[in-house]
Amino acid sequence: MRESSYKNYEELPLFLNAETLAKLLGVSVSSTYELIHEKDFPAIRISSRLVVPKEKLQLWINAKTEKWGVNEEQL
């Protein structure tokens, strides 16, 4: 799997497609599609495409890590 070319959050596009999301998360594209279809995942449909707003992805990650008892200071 190719590594992401983005060096920081600001460089990310406003909407992430499955391929970009897979690179960011370090998982396969098929795993990303499974994640995108989960009930609480912040994907939206634009025409026939499923994309993830980068702001909503950050909120989802924060919510998931809080569930596990991980805070930003530990990262």
Side-chain angles (χ1 to χ4, degrees):
M1 182 171 309
R2 234 175 50 193
E3 205 173 297
S4 175
S5 60
Y6 302 106
K7 302 299 179 205
N8 59 52
Y9 179 78
E10 288 76 27
E11 290 182 0
L12 291 172
L14 183 59
F15 295 101
L16 309 171
N17 62 20
E19 185 177 327
T20 301
L21 189 56
K23 289 176 191 173
L24 289 172
L25 298 176
V27 299
S28 68
V29 175
S30 61
S31 293
T32 302
Y33 278 112
E34 287 179 27
L35 180 62
I36 285 174
H37 286 93
E38 284 189 11
K39 185 178 179 179
D40 71 332
F41 194 75
I44 61 171
R45 184 172 297 280
I46 297 179
S47 187
S48 63
R49 297 181 63 214
L50 282 170
V51 294
V52 180
K54 76 174 184 178
E55 302 286 335
K56 298 293 183 184
L57 176 64
Q58 184 64 52
L59 292 172
W60 180 83
I61 291 170
N62 291 345
K64 290 295 183 181
T65 55
E66 286 172 9
K67 267 187 178 178
W68 298 328
V70 176
N71 59 40
E72 291 182 24
E73 291 81 35
Q74 293 173 320
L75 299 177

